[in-house]
Amino acid sequence: VLERLRAGEAVALDDVPLDPRLTGAVRADYARHDRIRAALGVPLLKDGAWVATLFAHDVEPRRWTADDLDLAREVAERTW
């Protein structure tokens, strides 16, 4: 997951506790927030380098849509 963000890609987690891509520190970080069941992360890039992440969270599992991803990317772009 972190590698994808570093590469400038959005990451959609439909059901955080069950997502096999989450390991180690990332899983532990989400475990501390037991109400987060779904997450969408879009990297904020400056001069092509990952400097922050815009996150959207949901307290229920959900299937993130292409429209969700497009909106999050647009918000991330406008943030800079």
Side-chain angles (χ1 to χ4, degrees), residues 4 9-12 40-42 64-75:
R4 288 185 59 196
E9 299 175 33
V11 176
L40 175 64
V42 179
W64 298 100
T65 67
D67 288 340
D68 295 331
L69 287 166
D70 289 344
L71 178 60
R73 286 184 184 114
E74 184 176 334
V75 170

Side-chain angles (χ1 to χ4, degrees), residues 16-61:
V16 170
L18 301 178
D19 196 306
R21 297 173 294 173
L22 295 179
T23 58
V26 175
R27 183 176 294 283
D29 192 38
Y30 273 108
R32 280 187 292 237
H33 306 284
D34 62 346
R35 292 192 41 92
I36 295 174
R37 289 296 306 269
L40 175 64
V42 179
L44 299 175
L45 306 174
K46 184 172 183 180
D47 299 327
W50 177 40
V51 295
T53 305
L54 172 73
F55 275 108
H57 296 227
D58 200 331
V59 296
E60 298 292 332

